[in-house]
Structure formats: C-alpha cells, structure tokens
C-alpha cells in the first residue's frame, strides 16, 4: 500500500479517522500542520492523556508502521465508550502529519512544529520530493486539513503521550519477547555530503589523472561504515546522485546522504568528528585505513557537509514506562520464553518517532510489538494479529493506569 502524506489516500484515511472518533464521543481539533486531536472528556478538565501515531506511509508501505498505533487508539476509545468507562481526565488519540517524511522531506515535521523545534514557515514551505512544486501548506489547504488552531504545545498541551508501534527491528521476534517497553530513542544526525572532482573522458584520462568523485564517495561511504562499527554506531547511505551521469564521463560531482545513529549523544559526536577528519584526508588522496589498497591514486577531490537533521538521544518518562511494563506483566502473567525469560523487554528505539518531540513537553513512552523478520518500510511488513491485540491491550491499560496515577497525585500532570 502507499499513503503518502497529504495525498488523496491520506485525505481519505483522515476523513475515516475524524468520522469514527466523532461517533465515539470525541471532539476534534486540527492545528495548522493538520495534526488531528480527538479528545474524549473525563471527570476533570485538564490536558488529555493521548495515544498518538500516524497514518501516512512510505512509498511502498507498510500496513502497520504508525497505522497500528492510530487504529489501536481508536479501538481504545471504542472499548471505553462501549463499556461506559469514565476516566478521571480526558483521553484521546492523535494522528500526526507527515511522520515519515517520505513526501515532504523532514520526518516527524508536524510534531516538530508542535514542539517548537521546527519553524511553521519552514514546514509549510517544504516541497514534495521528486521535483514536485506543491508545498505542505498548499496540500493541507487542498485536502481540507489546514486547521485554524496554532500548531504548538501551548495551544494544544498533552497530559501524556503513549505510542504503540511495531518494533521495525528483529530483537523482539528473535528473543521471543512479546512487548517492548521503550525507554528512549537513540540519537541521530542526517547529513548531505557533496564530493567535487572533475568531469573527464573515461577513455582518454588515465587513473592517475582522474579526480573521480564517485570512486572517492564510495571510499567515504565504506569508511563511514567501518568507523560506525568501531564506535558502536550505525551509518547508512540511502540516497546517492552523481553528475553528469554519462557512461563515458568520469563523475565530477556526487551528492549522498549520511545517516549516523547511536544511543549516546557523546559517542555519536566522537564518531562524526572522526568521520569529518578522515573524509578530508581521503578526498585529499591519503590512503586511510587501506582503502586504496590495490588501486591507483588519482588527483584530489573536495568534500563538504550539510546538516539536515539533528535529533539528540531521548529518554522517556519513568512513570509512563512503568505504566507500560505493569500493564504488560498483568496481561502476560507468568508466561516465559523458551529460555525462561520474561516476555517484556526494556528497549531503546533505533528509529525516530513523533514521541521524540512529544517527550519534550509531555510525559511520554512507547510500546513495541514484534514484526516479522524485523522488516519495515516494505510491502512485506507484517505483525501477527495476536501481537497487534497484545499491543492494543497494553496501550489501553497504560493509558488507564496513567489516568489513575494523575488522579492519585491530584494533578493534571504526573511528572
């Protein structure tokens, strides 16, 4: 499936969401980024405890990333309404806009605006990828979701934020665990790296006389992997463009993405500084770490870095984490893995989520459930029905536990 943000398919899903939560007794608020907040009243008037995620997808799916969290939130509202449960404080569900960043190229951009970390004007002026000319603001207007409410934590404060999500990795499945109680999200920084060499004829320019931007870029990418391995980080390149793009012309310019991730901010900083130092040496023609072994030294290139995204490591709220863990243990009872281990695992998320930004201004945690082979952003993305149900049960229970905790402490917010 494909449901890119603010597309016709996304508009259809948004209409479904609004219609169904209204039928379950909720009021709707839509902000200037199209973030949609469904609120069910409680006994006291205070910021709601929310279940939040997103309905947009990557170009090829899948069917669970984000969608599971929103649908489970809707199911939570249905259970509360059908059972006549009255919560102490309001509860609700959020559909965040453009979490994926697949169509408009900043991930989690709308929750970032809400948190005050992405300027509204910057977000509204983002143009669709692939050479399109439409901006986020234009398409928000077109599909009818450019809300009048300010997109901010002040205009729409959250009492707490819980997000159910597939793990998008192999740990839970490979260890036979059923629930991940997420304690935080690792740090990551996205860069655009540009290598400049010189366009020359492939038949008339010998290796020693070439300033080959693509060959140099390939060494940089390999070295980023090796340095990330050394420091216990991750480094990935998902986009690479070269010019002039001719079979018989040595590429003179290469532009590629570099995504660096690590659980600790300081380790990521050290790894990145070492990459920057070595990239300069490699492009200057030095044989760093044997990368040129067996090859021919050519003429130097130059390299430049542009920081596109900086997301520091995030630590979630201890009370929210305990609500997730206590609910999961109550649900799973004494069940153990074949190795005799508990079915609940504390985890750090390797991927960014809207919960990163909500945690800046509201108590937050996440709930992970296993997905087959750890595959995500792929048509093969799959989560077993029983695991979806477990996640939904834990989401409902965590929200209700946190509501009681707020009531016991006699305050709208716990932390």
């Amino acid at each position: 499936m494909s449901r890119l943000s603010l597309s016709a398919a996304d508009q259809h899903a948004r209409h479904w969401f609004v219609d169904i939560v209204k039928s379950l007794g909720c009021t709707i608020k839509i902000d200037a980024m199209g973030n949609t907040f469904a609120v069910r009243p409680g006994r006291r008037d205070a910021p709601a405890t929310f279940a939040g995620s997103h309905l947009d997808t990557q170009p090829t799916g899948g069917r669970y990333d984000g969608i599971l969290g929103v649908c489970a939130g809707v199911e939570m509202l249905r259970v509360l309404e059908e059972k006549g449960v009255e919560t102490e404080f309001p509860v609700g569900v959020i559909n965040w806009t453009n979490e994926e960043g697949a169509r408009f190229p900043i991930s989690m951009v709308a929750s970032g605006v809400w948190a005050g970390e992405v300027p509204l004007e910057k977000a509204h002026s983002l143009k669709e990828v692939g050479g399109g000319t439409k901006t986020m603001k234009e398409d928000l207007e077109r599909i009818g979701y450019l809300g009048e409410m300010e997109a901010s934590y002040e205009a729409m404060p959250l009492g707490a934020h819980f997000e159910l999500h597939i793990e998008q990795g192999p740990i839970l499945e490979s260890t036979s665990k059923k629930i991940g109680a997420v304690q935080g999200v690792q740090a990551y920084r996205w860069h655009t790296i540009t290598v400049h060499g010189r366009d020359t004829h492939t038949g008339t320019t010998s290796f020693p006389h070439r300033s080959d931007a693509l060959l140099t870029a390939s060494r940089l990418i390999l070295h980023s992997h090796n340095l990330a391995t050394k420091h216990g980080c991750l480094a990935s390149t998902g986009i690479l463009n070269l010019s002039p793009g001719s079979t018989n012309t040595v590429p003179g310019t290469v532009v590629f993405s570099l995504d660096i991730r690590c659980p600790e901010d300081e380790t990521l900083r050290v790894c990145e500084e070492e990459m920057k130092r070595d990239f300069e040496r490699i492009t200057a023609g030095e044989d760093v770490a044997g990368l040129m072994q067996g090859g021919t030294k050519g003429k130097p290139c130059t390299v430049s870095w542009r920081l596109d995204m900086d997301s520091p490591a995030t630590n979630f709220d201890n009370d929210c984490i305990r609500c997730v863990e206590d609910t999961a243990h109550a649900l799973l009872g004494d069940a153990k893995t074949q190795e005799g281990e508990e079915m609940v695992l504390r985890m750090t998320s390797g991927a960014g989520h809207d919960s990163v930004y909500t945690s800046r201004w509201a108590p937050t945690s996440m709930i992970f459930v296993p997905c087959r082979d750890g595959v995500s952003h792929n048509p093969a993305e799959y989560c077993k029905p029983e695991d979806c149900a477990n996640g939904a049960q834990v989401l409902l229970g965590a929200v209700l536990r946190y509501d009681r905790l707020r009531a016991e402490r006699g305050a709208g917010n716990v932390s």
Side-chain angles (χ1 to χ4, degrees), residues 47-75:
T49 299
F50 282 102
S53 203
H54 59 96
L55 290 171
D56 66 309
T57 74
Q58 290 285 330
T60 56
R63 295 180 295 150
Y64 299 84
D65 175 0
I67 300 163
L68 174 61
V70 175
C71 289
V74 171
E75 187 63 19

Side-chain angles (χ1 to χ4, degrees), residues 2-43:
S2 177
R3 185 159 60 228
L4 295 176
S5 185
L6 309 187
S7 64
D10 187 34
Q11 180 189 39
H12 181 75
R14 286 168 176 267
H15 289 346
W16 164 83
F17 176 72
V18 169
D19 289 344
I20 196 166
V21 295
K22 281 184 176 179
S23 73
L24 296 172
C26 292
T27 58
I28 297 293
K29 295 183 179 181
I30 302 172
D31 70 18
M33 284 301 297
N35 297 319
T36 306
F37 304 83
V39 180
R40 183 179 187 266
R43 294 188 186 96

